[in-house]
Coordinates of all heavy atoms in Angstrom, one line a residue:
R150 N 8.1 -13.2 -21.4 CA 9.5 -13.4 -21.1 C 9.9 -12.6 -19.8 O 10.7 -13.1 -19.0 CB 10.4 -13.0 -22.3 CG 10.2 -13.8 -23.5 CD 11.1 -13.4 -24.6 NE 12.5 -13.7 -24.2 CZ 13.6 -13.3 -24.9 NH1 13.4 -12.6 -26.0 NH2 14.8 -13.5 -24.5
L151 N 9.4 -11.4 -19.7 CA 9.8 -10.6 -18.5 C 9.2 -11.2 -17.3 O 9.8 -11.0 -16.2 CB 9.3 -9.2 -18.7 CG 10.0 -8.3 -19.8 CD1 9.4 -6.9 -19.9 CD2 11.5 -8.1 -19.4
K153 N 9.2 -14.1 -16.4 CA 10.1 -15.1 -15.9 C 11.1 -14.6 -14.9 O 11.7 -15.3 -14.1 CB 10.8 -15.8 -17.1 CG 9.9 -16.5 -18.1 CD 9.4 -17.8 -17.5 CE 8.6 -18.6 -18.5 NZ 8.1 -19.9 -18.0
V154 N 11.4 -13.2 -15.0 CA 12.4 -12.6 -14.1 C 11.8 -11.6 -13.2 O 12.5 -11.2 -12.2 CB 13.5 -12.0 -15.0 CG1 14.3 -13.1 -15.7 CG2 13.0 -11.0 -15.9
E292 N 11.2 -18.4 -23.3 CA 12.5 -18.5 -22.6 C 12.8 -17.1 -21.9 O 12.5 -16.1 -22.5 CB 13.6 -18.8 -23.6 CG 13.4 -20.2 -24.3 CD 14.5 -20.5 -25.2 OE1 15.4 -19.6 -25.4 OE2 14.5 -21.6 -25.8
P293 N 13.3 -17.2 -20.7 CA 13.6 -15.9 -20.0 C 14.9 -15.3 -20.6 O 15.6 -15.9 -21.3 CB 13.9 -16.4 -18.6 CG 14.4 -17.8 -18.7 CD 13.6 -18.4 -19.9
P294 N 15.1 -14.0 -20.4 CA 16.3 -13.3 -20.9 C 17.5 -14.0 -20.3 O 17.6 -14.4 -19.1 CB 16.1 -11.9 -20.4 CG 14.6 -11.7 -20.2 CD 14.2 -13.0 -19.7
S295 N 18.6 -14.0 -21.1 CA 19.8 -14.7 -20.7 C 20.7 -13.9 -19.8 O 21.5 -14.4 -19.1 CB 20.6 -15.1 -22.0 OG 20.9 -14.0 -22.8
S296 N 20.6 -12.5 -19.9 CA 21.4 -11.6 -19.1 C 20.6 -10.4 -18.7 O 19.5 -10.2 -19.1 CB 22.7 -11.2 -19.9 OG 22.3 -10.5 -21.1
E299 N 20.1 -8.0 -21.6 CA 19.0 -8.4 -22.5 C 17.7 -8.1 -21.8 O 16.7 -7.7 -22.5 CB 19.1 -9.9 -22.8 CG 18.0 -10.3 -23.8 CD 18.1 -11.8 -24.1 OE1 19.1 -12.5 -23.6 OE2 17.3 -12.3 -24.8
T300 N 17.6 -8.2 -20.5 CA 16.4 -7.8 -19.8 C 16.0 -6.4 -19.9 O 14.9 -6.0 -20.2 CB 16.5 -8.2 -18.3 OG1 16.8 -9.6 -18.2 CG2 15.2 -7.9 -17.5
L303 N 14.9 -5.7 -23.5 CA 13.6 -6.2 -23.6 C 12.5 -5.3 -23.0 O 11.4 -5.1 -23.6 CB 13.5 -7.6 -23.1 CG 12.3 -8.5 -23.5 CD1 12.3 -8.8 -25.0 CD2 12.3 -9.8 -22.7

Side-chain angles (χ1 to χ4, degrees):
R150 299 183 60 188
L151 289 176
K153 297 286 186 179
V154 295
E292 297 181 358
S295 58
S296 61
E299 184 181 358
T300 303
L303 194 64

